[in-house]
Amino acid sequence: MIKEFKEFAIKGNMLDLAVGVVIGSAFGKIVSSLVSDVIMPPLGLLIGNVDFSKKVLVLREASGDLGAVTLNYGLFINNCLDFIIIAFSIFIIIKQINRFKRKQESEVTTKECPFCISSIPLKATKCRECGSDQ
């Protein structure tokens, strides 16, 4: 079982996944900072000096030892903007990766001979291995 786990953990896919999670986490922090520190302050200023992070709806006031119960809709708005920016960024990255893959696929220069399954140039009219017409 330990041997199988080592093989699983050392596979390229597992390492790629680990790197992706670490980079994704760091990217999420950057986008959160972008939204809360760069985008929301000017947006709040345009709306009329509104600080979205402090926007709450008090459901129950604090009394005695019990704290107030609040609905933090300003933080929810910040988190929604975080999500939209992250989702859009990932969409753009995936779109570029797919475009790059299509270019690589279109650069195919060989084909497979249906008779001997050897690789031959696309412009070839005869297979160099078996002599069959293409």
Side-chain angles (χ1 to χ4, degrees), residues 82-98:
D82 283 355
F83 172 76
I84 291 168
I85 292 171
I86 289 172
F88 183 72
S89 301
I90 291 172
F91 168 74
I92 296 297
I93 290 169
I94 297 298
K95 188 174 179 172
Q96 293 303 319
I97 289 171
N98 288 340

Side-chain angles (χ1 to χ4, degrees), residues 104-125:
Q104 284 181 334
E105 290 171 1
S106 67
E107 294 174 359
V108 175
T109 59
T110 62
K111 61 183 175 181
E112 196 174 84
C113 175
F115 300 103
C116 69
I117 311 176
S118 63
S119 180
I120 57 174
L122 285 175
K123 295 181 180 180
T125 57

Side-chain angles (χ1 to χ4, degrees), residues 23-38 82 86:
I23 290 174
S25 173
F27 183 69
K29 289 179 183 178
I30 290 170
V31 170
S32 293
S33 177
L34 173 71
V35 169
S36 62
D37 301 331
V38 177
D82 283 355
I86 289 172

